[in-house]
């Protein structure tokens, strides 16, 4: 916590740069939602979903991912720490290396994404007239989605113990996963949807629980109970990620000298 | 305080052996290493480049997990109880700072205090003590990246001691220091060992460190201990009147 605060202070030594970064992050993410609005200017429905419904998917995915990225996104810099040798220093401190790497060069700029997703979600929800008996799932899915994205970040970081020169491989699943879950999965091919349901459970970030919130049938005809399985998916993926991280540390080779 | 029992660490490299074929190639950085260090000892750990000194240090501090054997430091298995161990040992790498590059030394110490949960009163008292002994006063407010090597080294040493560890592990602490800085550092380490009874293990290529500080010397070569004894024993391995450099050179090259 204090480390995070220190990094924030350090970045605000250059207030103009920090402010521009925050604005830039907000604008870049606003372009995402602009793309969705452009699509809906031409079509009524996307993959069978209306604009407010897609905004619900977008907002929950963005919020889950944004929070995960804000708090733990820095773990994708692990390979940099390994190559420069500064990971040795991390390991001799009495604080979890995961936390240390996550808060290193902590930047609040990423808050721009969280804010933007929250705005989109706030615009979407009133248009959907949800009943309380279904709306309770929205906070649950944001929490589970957050846990799933944190796990994906962790898995990506654990992979960097093996492939120190390929942090981009992990980005395909973290940032790629965010892009993927912004749209209804029904627009993608069935193979891909099964992959993100049963292999890397990104479908549980928002797609499956959103089917419950919106009271829709699964366009792919997957079993009904899956829409309640997000906490289970988050838990399982979290356990796998934690095990992978530990295995990674045991395999850590350090650098010469 | 430190117990190492038949510990070994090997690294697997993959070498190209054709267009797609890779050959596995195992390097034993340390093999079958056994020694123990009693509380209050001051041990010099010598060996030629690549002999396994740093690998040993990294196993003792929990950075590397040994592939074979058993390691205990302050009663803990370093790789399994890494964070618990971190509160009991201090580590300094001569070639790499553990401080925060962009922060003034004083802020780095403040961060260390929080990381190690050091009580505010203890922290003030120890910092005042270290400030005096290591003469830190004149550069406490300067960012670490702007410090000279000697100043940075003293800063690193102070940071490693703020939580009053019972074991101090130093990997080439005097590398690159001028004679005056070296002398100051040695005086400080000697006093730390004598007054506080801190156990010290130090690797070095500077035999002056060994002559002036160490009550015991261990030499590692090709991943195995090739000598373990007092400085007097070490001298006795070579003909009389050879310099300490000659004695060690004989050990490194396998003579004597």
């Amino acid at each position: 916590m204090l480390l995070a605060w220190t990094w924030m202070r350090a970045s605000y030594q250059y207030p103009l740069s920090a402010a521009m970064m925050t604005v830039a992050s907000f604008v870049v993410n606003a372009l995402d939602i602009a793309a969705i609005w452009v699509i809906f200017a031409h079509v009524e429905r996307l993959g069978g979903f209306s604009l407010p419904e897609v905004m619900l998917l977008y907002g929950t995915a963005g919020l889950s991912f944004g929070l995960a990225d804000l708090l733990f996104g820095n773990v994708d810099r692990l390979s940099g720490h390994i190559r420069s040798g500064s990971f040795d220093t991390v390991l001799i401190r009495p604080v979890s290396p995961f936390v240390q790497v996550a808060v290193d060069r902590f930047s609040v700029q990423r808050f721009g994404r969280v804010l933007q997703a929250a705005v989109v979600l706030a615009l979407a929800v009133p248009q959907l007239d949800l009943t309380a008996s279904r709306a309770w799932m929205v906070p649950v899915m944001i929490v589970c989605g957050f846990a799933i994205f944190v796990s994906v970040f962790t898995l990506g970081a654990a992979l960097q113990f093996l492939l120190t020169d390929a942090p981009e491989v992990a980005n395909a699943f973290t940032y790629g996963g965010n892009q993927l879950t912004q749209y209804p999965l029904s627009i993608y091919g069935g193979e891909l949807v099964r992959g993100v349901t049963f292999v890397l459970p990104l479908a549980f970030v928002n797609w499956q629980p959103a089917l419950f919130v919106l009271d829709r049938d699964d366009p792919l005809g997957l079993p009904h109970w899956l829409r309640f399985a997000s906490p289970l998916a988050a838990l399982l993926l979290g356990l796998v990620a934690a095990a992978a991280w530990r295995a990674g540390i045991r395999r850590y080779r350090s650098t010469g000298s | 305080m430190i117990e190492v029992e038949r510990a070994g660490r090997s690294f697997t490299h993959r070498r190209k052996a054709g267009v797609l074929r890779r050959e596995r190639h195992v390097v034993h950085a340390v093999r079958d290493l056994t020694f123990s260090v009693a509380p209050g000892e001051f041990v010099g750990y010598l060996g030629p480049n690549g002999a396994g000194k740093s690998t040993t240090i990294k196993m003792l501090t929990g950075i590397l997990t040994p592939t074979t054997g058993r390691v205990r430091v302050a009663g803990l298995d370093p790789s399994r109880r890494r964070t618990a161990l971190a509160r009991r040992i201090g580590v300094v790498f001569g070639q790499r700072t553990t401080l925060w590059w962009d922060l003034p030394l004083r802020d780095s110490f403040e961060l260390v205090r929080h990381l190690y949960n050091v009580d505010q009163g203890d922290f003030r008292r120890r910092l005042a003590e270290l400030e005096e002994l290591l003469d830190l006063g004149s550069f406490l407010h300067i960012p670490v990246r702007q410090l000279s090597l000697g100043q940075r080294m003293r800063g690193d040493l102070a940071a490693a001691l703020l939580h009053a560890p019972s074991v101090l592990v130093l990997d080439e602490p005097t590398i690159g220091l001028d004679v005056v800085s070296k002398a100051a550092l040695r005086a400080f380490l000697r006093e730390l060992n004598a007054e506080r009874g801190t156990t010290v293990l130090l690797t070095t290529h500077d035999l002056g460190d060994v002559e002036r500080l160490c009550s015991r010397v261990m030499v590692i070569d090709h991943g195995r201990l090739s000598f373990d004894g007092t400085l007097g024993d070490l001298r006795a391995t070579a003909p009389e009147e050879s310099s300490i450099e000659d004695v060690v050179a004989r050990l490194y090259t396998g003579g004597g």
Side-chain angles (χ1 to χ4, degrees):
Chain A
M1 198 55 227
L2 187 90
L3 275 171
W5 174 241
T6 308
W7 281 119
M8 267 164 65
R9 256 193 345 200
S11 78
Y12 285 97
Q13 303 239 322
Y14 310 97
L16 186 67
S17 153
M20 278 170 62
M21 292 283 280
T22 311
V23 172
S25 145
F26 193 91
V27 170
V28 167
N29 287 298
L31 286 175
D32 267 358
I33 191 71
I36 291 175
W37 280 328
V38 168
I39 294 170
F40 274 95
H42 297 279
V43 295
E44 278 294 303
R45 303 182 88 72
L46 181 63
F49 288 77
S50 68
L51 177 60
E53 289 172 335
V54 174
M55 280 167 67
L56 173 78
L57 287 169
Y58 177 92
T60 48
L63 213 54
S64 296
F65 179 80
L67 287 170
D69 188 38
L70 175 71
L71 296 174
F72 298 104
N74 277 343
V75 296
D76 69 5
R77 299 220 189 109
L78 181 70
S79 69
H81 289 287
I82 292 176
R83 267 177 297 171
S84 73
S86 58
F87 196 64
D88 281 9
T89 309
V90 166
L91 285 176
I92 59 168
R93 303 274 183 220
V95 173
S96 142
F98 185 70
V99 172
Q100 289 187 66
V101 174
V103 301
D104 188 56
R105 291 173 200 276
F106 182 83
S107 60
V108 274
Q109 285 93 296
R110 292 174 177 184
F111 195 67
R113 188 200 304 271
V114 178
L115 197 69
Q116 183 259 356
V119 169
V120 172
L121 188 62
L123 290 174
V125 169
Q127 298 181 52
L128 290 168
D129 35 56
L130 301 172
T131 57
S133 66
R134 295 201 174 264
W136 61 268
M137 185 59 102
V138 175
V140 173
M141 65 202 258
I142 291 170
V143 171
C144 293
F146 168 74
I148 290 171
F149 276 123
V150 171
S151 306
V152 175
F153 270 116
T154 310
L155 278 173
L159 197 64
Q160 294 180 23
F161 283 111
L162 289 177
L163 310 166
T164 36
D165 40 3
E168 296 80 10
V169 177
N171 286 351
F173 295 100
T174 51
Y175 292 89
N178 177 41
Q179 295 288 333
L180 181 93
T181 49
Q182 285 175 358
Y183 295 94
L185 291 187
S186 48
I187 67 170
Y188 302 108
E191 295 303 316
L192 180 69
V193 177
R194 273 183 204 96
V196 296
T197 306
F198 298 113
V199 185
L200 188 70
L202 291 171
F204 295 100
V205 168
N206 59 351
W207 169 246
Q208 284 291 346
L211 290 176
F212 169 75
V213 174
L214 301 171
D215 193 16
R216 301 285 288 257
D217 285 329
D218 191 321
L220 285 157
L222 293 174
H224 213 263
W225 60 267
L226 282 177
R227 51 192 65 183
F228 301 104
S230 285
L232 184 69
L235 184 71
L236 285 178
L237 192 65
L239 290 175
V240 171
W245 173 262
R246 277 162 181 276
I249 285 192
R250 287 187 75 82
R251 293 185 62 124
Y252 174 59
R253 306 165 60 113
S254 189
T255 52
S257 97
Chain B
M1 205 38 110
I2 301 176
E3 283 173 63
V4 178
E5 222 180 281
R6 311 205 59 164
R9 169 78 201 204
S10 55
F11 295 95
T12 313
H13 298 281
R14 282 173 205 284
R15 256 201 314 222
K16 264 194 181 153
V19 183
L20 285 170
R21 235 153 46 82
R22 293 281 189 282
E23 223 165 53
R24 279 167 62 105
H25 177 65
V26 179
V27 177
H28 296 275
V30 170
R31 59 169 99 194
D32 210 14
L33 189 66
T34 301
F35 67 86
S36 68
V37 176
E41 275 194 286
F42 202 128
V43 182
Y45 193 39
L46 306 183
N49 293 324
K53 293 190 301 294
S54 291
T55 304
T56 311
I57 297 281
K58 285 171 184 171
M59 289 195 294
L60 294 177
T61 48
I63 294 171
L64 289 176
T65 309
T67 34
T68 56
R70 204 181 83 109
V71 177
R72 286 277 178 286
V73 178
L76 302 169
D77 178 346
S79 62
R80 286 181 189 281
R81 308 284 315 281
R82 193 165 10 79
T83 48
L85 180 69
R87 293 180 191 282
R88 305 193 193 179
I89 62 170
V91 187
V92 175
F93 297 110
Q95 315 224 36
R96 176 176 304 141
T97 183
T98 57
L99 302 169
W100 287 264
W101 211 233
D102 297 313
L103 295 179
L105 202 50
R106 189 185 292 283
D107 293 14
S108 275
F109 290 158
E110 192 63 34
L111 273 177
V112 168
R113 177 175 94 75
H114 284 274
L115 280 175
Y116 287 83
N117 269 327
V118 180
D119 172 85
Q120 182 80 51
D122 288 345
F123 173 76
R124 284 225 191 89
R125 194 164 39 74
R126 280 185 210 132
L127 185 57
E129 211 174 54
L130 290 164
E131 195 180 322
E132 196 195 311
L133 286 170
L134 288 166
D135 201 13
L136 305 172
S138 58
F139 53 87
L140 268 178
H141 59 282
I142 299 178
V144 172
R145 67 183 130 81
Q146 292 171 18
L147 296 179
S148 75
L149 185 61
Q151 291 172 331
R152 206 208 74 200
M153 203 55 235
R154 281 182 275 165
D156 259 306
L157 197 55
L161 292 168
L162 283 170
H163 60 293
S166 50
V167 184
L168 183 62
V169 179
L170 306 158
D171 195 4
E172 303 190 23
T174 53
I175 194 164
L177 298 187
D178 65 55
V179 282
V180 180
S181 304
K182 257 183 208 173
L185 199 69
R186 285 171 185 161
F188 173 78
L189 289 175
R190 190 166 36 226
E191 186 167 323
L192 182 80
N193 176 251
E195 303 283 312
R196 297 242 195 102
T198 307
T199 312
V200 185
L201 180 75
L202 155 151
T203 77
T204 186
H205 288 297
D206 186 329
L207 298 168
D209 293 345
V210 177
E211 281 193 296
R212 286 174 187 77
L213 294 170
C214 302
S215 55
R216 176 177 163 199
V217 185
M218 297 192 298
V219 179
I220 186 173
D221 198 9
H222 293 101
R224 288 196 171 98
L225 275 195
S226 59
F227 177 85
D228 185 359
T230 64
L231 196 59
D233 297 340
L234 183 66
R235 284 188 182 285
T237 61
E240 260 178 80
E241 286 170 38
S242 9
S243 69
I244 184 83
E245 278 81 6
D246 291 339
V247 177
V248 172
R250 280 167 63 96
L251 270 175
Y252 284 6
T253 51

